[in-house]
Amino acid sequence: QVQLLESGGGLVQTGGSLRLSCAASGLPSNGYARGWFRQAPGKEREFVASVSWNGGSVYYADSVKGRFTISRDNAKNTVYLQMSSLKPEDTAVYYCAAFGESYYFKGTQPRNWGQGTQVTVSS
């Protein structure tokens, strides 16, 4: 069975940085695209970033471009989301995701989800 386990969430001040990690099990380390979504209270879950099977292609939501960086370490079967210049509007539960294909295509829904980790950015 596939398991995606997020870690690294917490409380940070505006302008600060935080790195999220997502370790996978039961999933090939180099076969599928991975990504991050987030959901704020009362809002729809939204796409944040994705990375292709080998890390060669990345895609970001406009709201995080230039501030967030997604990467993966296939030897550890782990995906990261480095978040910098954080803003209060980044506050949300962040979910790790695995897709059923090697590349992410806009609008594609993940095959697997992590449990979510809370990120709170204070002003």
Side-chain angles (χ1 to χ4, degrees), residues 4-27:
L4 303 175
L5 301 177
E6 299 101 330
S7 62
L11 176 65
V12 64
Q13 293 184 343
T14 297
S17 298
L18 203 62
R19 188 178 76 160
L20 305 182
S21 299
C22 177
S25 62
L27 183 75

Side-chain angles (χ1 to χ4, degrees), residues 34-77:
R34 302 278 292 277
W36 293 90
F37 291 72
R38 67 186 183 186
Q39 186 170 22
K43 296 185 178 181
E44 296 292 326
R45 189 171 299 185
E46 64 176 350
F47 171 81
V48 175
S50 68
V51 59
S52 63
W53 69 279
N54 63 349
S57 298
V58 295
Y59 180 70
Y60 298 97
D62 288 342
S63 59
V64 306
K65 286 181 179 177
R67 300 188 299 118
F68 290 13
T69 301
I70 188 170
S71 62
R72 66 191 297 163
D73 183 345
N74 286 346
K76 297 180 179 180
N77 208 351

Side-chain angles (χ1 to χ4, degrees), residues 87 100 115:
K87 307 173 181 179
Q115 80 283 3

